[in-house]
Amino acid sequence: MSRIFVDRTKRKSACLDGMWFFKTDADNAGKEQGFFMGFTDGMQIAVPSVWNTEFGLIEYNGAVWYSKDFYFEGGNLRLNFEAVMTYAEVWLDGKLLGDHYGGFSAFDFYVNNVETGFHNLTLRVDNSFDKNSIPQKKVDWYHYGGIIRSVYAEKVAETVVTNLRFDYNLNDALTLANAKITAELFNSESYEITSPVTFFFDSKEIFKTDITLSAGETKKVVSPEFSVENIRLWDIGKPELYSILVATNTDDLYDRVGFRKIEVKDQKILLNGNQIEIRGVNRHEEYPDFGFAFPKSLMNRDIDIILNLGCNAIRGSHYPNSKYFVDLLDSKGILFWSEIPMWGVGFTAETLGLPTVIERGLTMHKEMLKQYFNHPSIIIWGMHNEIPTEAENAYNISKLFYNFLKENGGNRIVTYATYKPMEDICLEFCDIICLNQYYGWYYGNNDSWQEALNEFRERRNALGYGHKPIIMSEFGCAAIYGDHTFTNIRWTEEYQAEMLSKAITTFHNDSMVCGFYVWQYADMRTCWEAGMTRARGFNNKGLVNEHRKPKASYFAVKKLYDEFKGEQ
Ligand code: ADA
């Protein structure tokens, strides 16, 4: 797994990143032609990457094939895919292993008794859309496709540790915690195995037991509760982390965890008992030359630019970001909002009622929780963004997601971003009300903000949600990098700087608003084909352009965020 630390020490792991053979399959004839048996003709493409950045493929959507031979020393094999956009079918030596839907989460396959020698791994990947797609075809980003994160081939044996979950409760003084570790274990053999399992917290053994698993069985083992004293709390800018480790005779899995308490009380957000104001940006994990296959060095650079801006929070709009990035946030003390790509106006009321859409949405939430649960930086689970929340189907899906995330998501705020605050019928299903509003750009003007907040306050109170604070989850306007003016007209850097300053000052001074995320951190490529007829083919609302060059708005927002920091 691509983490910022070594998460496994016992298994032999080969990273299959590098060049793969690649073919497009516009006529969908690849299966009939037996591509799944592997091939060495066609072009070569890097993994991870998106194919749209290759010459001639910028607008290609549909089926493609990837093929690679790799050496395996024999035994039980685990193939781990960290993310493939969007639908993947996987064959090993011509035999179908299975499939996975959803472009931003990891999935894996286990194969027993693989012979020593070279083997062929072939994938059919499809990024086309239909009525059941999440996201739908209409999105405000680019329709990239490809193996966007790393691929690993690992040798496993006997009892393997497939997942860890860390749960804890803090006492009122936040000095003591009762904690437990849940390990998911899997017998990778085709016969029964009994194995010792040892649990460690902060390098100290806390529990040991024997577990018996039948062939191919998966079971969870939960440690007894243990207490941790003199807690060092994880906080903004104070990233105190502890380690957990579970080991069997043949495998181990290590993770980093943190103790923190997030609460919504009296219209405020409290982190570790202290009121905080969220000062954030929305960030796509996208760079036009690499699409969603985002380079790790640039993740680090983005964080430096965002910290320099004075932010304490990032919204991972609009999909689970790579774990490597969230690891960085854990270790820098930055708050994170993680959501699934159930985006916007593409979802009509009707599509939200389709059984496959509901089932896929829930599966995406399940995968996000399982894969990201232990990150202390994640304080918000986002259910969806700008779906038609005035409709009954949106109510039903929100209820389903909210109940699932509240029950299983740990100590976190559950919410969604609404763009129809005056018509929304789902407000019951959020701990904080999050508004996406574009006064001064799509409608209204820079002076409309206070009036709009007042109007919504009345509705909120009348509905009985007066206790729910507000986060301005999106607001912003486009500016073309380098375009200046004497008269502050739209599309210029000056207009954007002024618009954002007015909006942020209004939010900061309104007691109902407990945070704000500027839309958006960086300009990013968007999709003409999806109806996004935007200047340059980019969403230009970034504080920095796509190459991370700052606009005037970056310095205007920095001035305010720095001032607010000084007020505390
Ligand atoms: C919406 C949406 C964003 C972006 C933004 C915009 O609020 O959630 O993804 O499209 O609008 O720039 O219009």
Side-chain angles (χ1 to χ4, degrees), residues 60-351:
Y60 184 81
N61 291 309
V64 305
W65 291 79
Y66 286 80
S67 188
K68 188 177 181 79
D69 288 347
F70 65 100
Y71 181 82
F72 185 64
E73 70 173 35
N76 298 346
L77 170 68
R78 175 189 183 230
L79 290 166
N80 183 27
F81 300 86
E82 292 188 340
V84 180
M85 292 271 359
T86 299
Y87 175 62
E89 291 164 279
V90 180
W91 288 263
L92 181 73
D93 300 326
K95 189 169 169 279
L96 183 65
L97 299 183
D99 62 352
H100 180 260
Y101 183 82
F104 299 98
S105 55
F107 57 97
D108 59 8
F109 301 101
Y110 288 86
V111 192
N112 280 7
N113 304 320
V114 175
E115 280 176 17
T116 305
F118 277 92
H119 295 274
N120 176 262
L121 182 59
T122 293
L123 276 76
R124 179 181 177 278
V125 179
D126 194 339
N127 76 335
S128 56
F129 299 89
D130 62 23
K131 62 181 182 9
N132 289 312
S133 301
I134 301 181
Q136 294 273 294
K137 184 170 180 180
K138 187 166 176 70
V139 283
D140 193 5
W141 59 80
Y142 202 75
H143 290 164
Y144 294 114
I147 303 180
I148 61 164
R149 297 181 191 152
S150 293
V151 181
Y152 290 91
E154 300 174 334
K155 181 172 172 165
V156 294
E158 302 187 353
T159 306
V160 302
V161 190
T162 49
N163 198 50
L164 297 182
R165 173 173 162 140
F166 182 66
D167 287 280
Y168 60 90
N169 279 313
L170 285 159
N171 68 349
D172 290 345
L174 308 181
T175 50
L176 183 93
N178 284 329
K180 63 179 186 199
I181 300 169
T182 305
E184 191 184 84
L185 301 162
F186 165 66
N187 178 0
S188 64
E189 307 292 347
S190 26
Y191 45 87
E192 186 181 283
I193 294 270
T194 299
S195 165
V197 192
T198 318
F199 290 63
F200 298 85
F201 175 81
D202 211 17
S203 305
K204 283 177 219 74
E205 183 179 316
I206 52 153
F207 177 54
K208 194 169 189 165
T209 187
D210 283 328
I211 177 154
T212 301
L213 297 171
S214 55
E217 189 184 5
T218 296
K219 242 190 216 169
K220 284 185 181 157
V221 181
V222 188
S223 74
E225 268 197 3
F226 55 98
S227 56
V228 186
E229 290 170 2
N230 302 319
I231 294 281
R232 290 176 277 112
L233 292 169
W234 186 97
D235 214 322
I236 296 168
K238 294 192 193 98
E240 294 287 355
L241 295 167
Y242 293 78
S243 68
I244 57 172
L245 171 67
V246 171
T248 66
N249 281 345
T250 50
D251 200 28
D252 60 3
L253 182 56
Y254 163 80
D255 206 354
R256 301 179 321 165
V257 298
F259 295 98
R260 51 121 193 89
K261 186 170 189 182
I262 194 86
E263 289 165 278
V264 180
K265 223 183 197 174
D266 305 328
Q267 290 195 68
K268 304 279 171 257
I269 302 180
L270 305 184
L271 177 63
N272 298 332
N274 302 313
Q275 185 187 332
I276 57 163
E277 179 175 64
I278 288 186
R279 294 169 201 140
V281 283
N282 283 275
R283 173 183 174 273
H284 269 280
E285 197 164 81
E286 191 261 8
Y287 186 89
D289 286 349
F290 307 113
F292 290 135
F294 200 87
K296 295 192 173 74
S297 52
L298 190 52
M299 292 181 195
N300 211 30
R301 171 88 178 134
D302 273 0
I303 289 176
D304 286 348
I305 298 170
I306 289 169
L307 278 178
N308 181 59
L309 181 65
C311 288
N312 55 22
I314 297 174
R315 176 173 174 221
S317 41
H318 289 295
Y319 36 78
N321 287 197
S322 48
K323 275 185 79 71
Y324 193 91
F325 183 70
V326 189
D327 281 343
L328 287 171
L329 301 179
D330 288 343
S331 55
K332 304 246 179 178
I334 303 173
L335 307 172
F336 193 58
W337 164 330
S338 190
E339 65 189 28
I340 64 160
M342 188 166 257
W343 184 94
V345 287
F347 285 96
T348 60
E350 196 197 341
T351 45

